[in-house]
Amino acid sequence: LDEITNLSPSAQAKILRVIQEKKITKVGDTHSVDIDVRIIVATNLNLIKAVHENNFRDDLFHRLNEFTLSLPSLKARKNDIPIIAEQFLKEANIELEKNIKGFSPEAMSILESYSWPGNVRELKHVIKKAVLLEETDHITPNVLDLEFGKTHKSPFKESLEKYYEMITADGLSISDITTIVSAEMESILIKRILVEAKYNKSKAARILGIDRNTLYSKLKGLGIE
């Protein structure tokens, strides 16, 4: 159930009853049917806050809240954008019967530096529209329609501000920053090469100049199987 917080109070009561009784009654029927299901729900709102504001039933919340996965916004995981964008590109190619091969470096830089207030849905929409409009074999900046503002902060300037704050506010040393930058750049390069190698790990390892075992170890550290 996507956007669970959009359910009306009556719908929330029905879902709660289904969870408690493990039975449903089909529309137009008079007999209940036993069910054995797992319920997965999603929301982009704070459910606890919704409960406190009486916009969501607390008893339903506790029934659903047996196991929670919190997924950071796209803005907080920009290193994942190349991989996600590549997947959306494949889907758009199939749906629109086109053969766009990838993204120009300039286009990918814009995607990575954009704030994505609309999160993954906005990224998918932007790429689908770009595939529809693009007349070359790679997505270029000209076809990227970013709804919430056309100006983009330089990725270098954005990173510089972040590292400056780490030193002045968090008390990290220049040596600490160097280690962080090195790890971030390694992560970005590995993910980019993996996409370009179409997830062929042997090919990606050759391009990166490392053996496969080393690449597997680094991918495991990045949470990529």
Side-chain angles (χ1 to χ4, degrees):
L1 303 175
D2 195 13
E3 300 299 350
I4 187 70
T5 46
N6 290 344
L7 286 179
S8 66
S10 62
Q12 291 181 34
K14 291 178 181 178
I15 293 293
L16 178 62
R17 186 164 58 251
V18 168
I19 295 174
Q20 291 174 334
E21 300 177 359
K22 296 185 178 180
K23 296 177 182 291
I24 62 170
T25 303
K26 297 180 180 180
V27 176
D29 202 345
T30 57
H31 297 88
S32 61
V33 179
D34 292 332
I35 60 169
D36 181 13
V37 298
R38 290 184 179 182
I39 298 178
I40 301 174
V41 303
T43 179
N44 63 353
L45 300 178
N46 187 324
L47 266 182
I48 296 177
K49 182 179 179 181
V51 169
H52 290 163
E53 294 176 349
N54 295 319
N55 292 323
F56 196 81
R57 295 180 63 117
D58 60 345
D59 47 2
L60 178 57
F61 169 75
H62 291 298
R63 283 284 186 173
L64 294 172
N65 193 36
E66 292 187 2
F67 188 81
T68 301
L69 289 175
S70 297
L71 185 63
S73 67
L74 194 57
K75 181 180 179 181
R77 49 193 176 101
K78 292 188 175 183
N79 290 350
D80 291 341
I81 288 176
I83 294 176
I84 299 173
E86 189 71 23
Q87 178 59 35
F88 287 156
L89 175 62
K90 291 178 182 178
E91 294 175 4
N93 271 332
I94 294 172
E95 182 178 349
L96 301 174
E97 298 182 349
K98 298 196 68 173
N99 188 30
I100 305 297
K101 296 179 180 178
F103 300 85
S104 71
E106 296 81 7
M108 184 56 72
S109 177
I110 289 175
L111 293 179
E112 291 176 327
S113 63
Y114 185 57
S115 61
W116 298 110
N119 223 328
V120 176
R121 286 190 180 92
E122 184 184 4
L123 175 60
K124 185 174 184 177
H125 168 77
V126 166
I127 291 177
K128 183 177 179 180
K129 187 171 183 179
V131 169
L132 181 65
L133 297 176
E134 186 58 68
E135 296 180 351
T136 71
D137 61 355
H138 280 73
I139 298 296
T140 57
N142 294 334
V143 295
L144 293 178
D145 183 13
L146 301 177
E147 301 292 341
F148 295 90
K150 302 297 182 180
T151 58
H152 314 283
K153 184 183 289 186
S154 162
F156 174 77
K157 184 176 181 180
E158 190 175 64
S159 296
L160 190 62
E161 291 175 356
K162 180 181 72 173
Y163 300 136
Y164 175 80
E165 185 174 341
M166 285 181 177
I167 291 176
T168 57
D170 300 337
L172 298 184
S173 68
I174 189 66
S175 178
D176 295 328
I177 298 301
T178 301
T179 301
I180 293 171
V181 172
S182 177
E184 289 181 351
M185 288 304 300
E186 181 178 84
S187 171
I188 292 171
L189 287 171
I190 288 176
K191 290 178 179 179
R192 180 70 65 83
I193 294 300
L194 194 60
V195 168
E196 292 182 0
K198 300 187 183 303
Y199 302 95
N200 183 319
K201 295 183 177 65
S202 296
K203 182 178 179 181
R206 287 197 301 272
I207 296 173
L208 291 165
I210 57 179
D211 59 60
R212 284 198 306 171
N213 289 336
T214 300
L215 177 59
Y216 288 145
S217 176
K218 291 182 180 295
L219 291 176
K220 184 177 181 180
L222 295 172
I224 301 174
E225 296 184 359

